[in-house]
Amino acid sequence: MWSILVIATLLFITGHAIPSSCPGIPPARYPFELATGWAAVKVADGLSMPRSLVVDNKGRLLVVERGFGISQHTVDINGCITSSRTLVSMSSLNHGIYLGIDGRALYASSASDVFRWAYDPENGNTDGPPDTVVYNMTSDDHVTRTLIIPPHRPDLLVVSRGSNSNLDYATSDPATARSVVKVFNISTVPNGGYDYSQHGWNAGYGLRNEVGLAFDGNNMLWGVENSADQLTRDVNGTLTDIHNDNPAEELNFLGDVTTPNDAWYGYPTCFTVWGPDASIASTIDAHKLDVGQQFVLAPNDTFDDNTCAHVSMPPRLAFQAHTAPLDAKFDAPRYENLFVTLHGSWDRNPPMGYKLVAVPFTRVAQDGSYAPIAKANSRDGYIDVFYPPNEGQCSATTCARPVGLAFDGAGRLYMTSDASGEVFMLGSSS
């Protein structure tokens, strides 16, 4: 049933069939397969670690190339790239990019700062050097800063910042301004920009590395989270390696960013179950915890799994452990699927991820809110759309590693693969 919903949405949003190839572009470096009704073609090759991307008002692609800057690509009626140029040369840019709602401001991020350029959507040029909008975000571990602007509030900029280490215990205090998503008023930026640690307001904290952000049809924010690696569970002195199937990656509901959200989402203390087994059994009644429930690494008399259930905000849906979700885009205007890139695991045997998936959504009749169709304890809450033929044999040198997503005005979905330096275009097969 869910695959039918994905196909129906595809046919609704895609006005142009995907060509079998684009002129001058070599075949995909690695084999891939597609869900029924989908087609994909490679549109760019040889980019320098392409990460996030946006589409401007004239249909041009703007791509952050890590360690290089921002490249700009003009496309034809079929969605194939006809010309490319360097728009911004700035080696510190590494991930985030977004256009103002009117298309006349371009935002991009480094590990430490968010920059803003004046942008002319008619000719695709920037005007002068950038202003600094946000600063003081340097970290030693997670260095990507995702950017997004609410469609109904062009005066707000949302910026995510991850943890400083695998288990960054200091982030239990939101004042660290790590493992957090924050909101800034960009209609009146102070001279020199906002200090990330001191200014803005929270859209949730205890979010280890909320790389992908997306607004639903009610302008409510959702995030996909990369959870921790190499975890062990210590129960009464018995230490168990649980890292292969735990903790789950997460889909979190962050809500209305126009007002502060000071809810705690669990990190670095409460983690989400993907693989329920005897090593993650409730310390209260010895029953296995279910998928989507949260657990602690070392339960004790003052803080255990049951504490998590009372004080932490659990995810709305779980993803396979270590698959590394990096971007999320709804299929506006229907909002029936949230497309999520899974970059792929590095510490799991066999490997998992290396694909694009769709999370089917529905609008709840009682209050008009949006929510995943699958229940929070489901392990089948998403559908493979673009995926490797042998996921368990993947690595950075044998499979595409999806990162950024952007829909164009024709409903075609562009997707970057950073390790292979490629950009793909996906849409209807007919």
Side-chain angles (χ1 to χ4, degrees):
M1 174 185 168
W2 292 354
S3 59
I4 294 173
L5 288 174
V6 175
I7 295 168
T9 298
L10 167 68
L11 297 175
F12 177 83
I13 64 177
T14 305
H16 298 274
I18 301 300
S20 59
S21 64
C22 286
I25 303 299
R29 293 177 181 269
Y30 310 117
F32 61 85
E33 297 182 1
L34 296 161
T36 302
W38 285 82
V41 65
K42 180 174 166 179
V43 300
D45 186 65
L47 277 64
S48 175
M49 292 292 288
R51 299 285 292 185
S52 298
L53 73 168
V54 293
V55 180
D56 75 7
N57 292 348
K58 295 296 182 180
R60 305 179 193 92
L61 303 180
L62 280 63
V63 183
V64 171
E65 298 187 48
R66 175 176 285 182
F68 172 79
I70 300 173
S71 56
Q72 185 186 76
H73 310 270
T74 301
V75 305
D76 62 19
I77 192 172
N78 295 316
C80 293
I81 292 173
T82 58
S83 64
S84 300
R85 65 166 177 157
T86 298
L87 179 65
V88 174
S89 181
M90 183 182 287
S91 61
S92 63
L93 299 183
N94 67 356
H95 183 77
I97 188 170
Y98 214 76
L99 283 166
I101 300 302
D102 64 0
R104 296 188 174 277
L106 172 63
Y107 299 83
S109 63
S110 68
S112 58
D113 302 280
V114 177
F115 303 100
R116 177 173 61 188
W117 292 261
Y119 184 76
D120 187 336
E122 294 301 318
N123 58 34
N125 294 330
T126 56
D127 183 12
D131 297 323
T132 298
V133 178
V134 182
Y135 67 95
N136 192 22
M137 295 186 291
T138 302
S139 295
D140 293 330
D141 192 2
H142 297 114
V143 296
T144 58
R145 312 288 175 244
T146 301
L147 312 175
I148 193 169
I149 295 173
H152 69 309
R153 287 294 302 270
D155 58 330
L156 301 181
L157 176 68
V158 181
V159 185
S160 70
R161 184 187 184 196
S163 65
N164 206 34
S165 60
N166 187 37
L167 297 174
D168 188 353
Y169 289 110
T171 62
S172 295
D173 179 0
T176 61
R178 298 193 303 271
S179 302
V180 67
V181 177
K182 297 192 77 172
V183 187
F184 301 89
N185 188 323
I186 50 176
S187 64
T188 55
V189 178
N191 185 36
Y194 289 107
D195 183 328
Y196 192 89
S197 296
Q198 302 297 321
H199 301 139
W201 61 89
N202 291 344
Y205 79 103
L207 300 159
R208 180 177 178 270
N209 195 23
E210 210 79 1
V211 188
L213 300 172
F215 285 101
D216 67 23
N218 291 333
N219 298 309
M220 299 291 107
L221 186 63
W222 295 78
V224 290
E225 180 172 344
N226 289 234
S227 196
D229 303 304
Q230 304 295 326
L231 294 190
T232 57
R233 167 109 156 160
D234 184 349
V235 179
N236 298 323
T238 300
L239 195 67
T240 305
D241 183 343
I242 61 171
H243 89 273
N244 210 50
D245 276 327
N246 291 288
E249 315 286 44
E250 300 180 0
L251 172 62
N252 291 306
F253 178 73
L254 305 182
D256 182 4
V257 300
T258 66
T259 59
N261 172 12
D262 292 316
W264 179 55
Y265 287 76
Y267 179 83
T269 306
C270 299
F271 297 92
T272 299
V273 175
W274 175 258
D277 56 40
S279 64
I280 309 180
S282 169
T283 55
I284 297 175
D285 56 15
H287 290 114
K288 294 179 185 177
L289 295 178
D290 202 356
V291 174
Q293 291 183 298
Q294 293 186 313
F295 66 95
V296 298
L297 299 183
N300 55 55
D301 291 340
T302 59
F303 205 113
D304 60 14
D305 306 331
N306 190 53
T307 313
C308 290
H310 287 87
V311 302
S312 172
M313 186 73 69
R316 292 294 185 91
L317 193 68
F319 297 100
Q320 163 72 54
H322 311 305
T323 48
L326 291 189
D327 203 358
K329 291 291 186 295
F330 278 102
D331 53 354
R334 298 189 77 169
Y335 298 97
E336 290 181 344
N337 291 281
L338 178 66
F339 293 92
V340 178
T341 53
L342 301 180
H343 196 227
S345 63
W346 63 268
D347 62 342
R348 187 184 187 281
N349 186 21
M352 299 292 285
Y354 302 87
K355 57 189 175 183
L356 170 69
V357 301
V359 179
F361 263 66
T362 188
R363 196 161 194 186
V364 180
Q366 291 88 332
D367 59 8
S369 64
Y370 291 87
I373 290 178
K375 294 181 179 180
N377 66 347
S378 174
R379 285 168 57 110
D380 302 302
Y382 51 95
I383 303 155
D384 291 353
V385 175
F386 174 109
Y387 54 96
N390 193 344
E391 185 177 349
Q393 298 298 316
C394 278
S395 71
T397 59
T398 59
C399 296
R401 300 203 77 186
V403 181
L405 296 171
F407 280 103
D408 71 0
R412 297 172 294 216
L413 181 59
Y414 288 91
M415 179 182 76
T416 63
S417 169
D418 62 352
S420 62
E422 298 171 295
V423 179
F424 295 89
M425 175 176 60
L426 294 91
S428 173
S429 60
S430 60

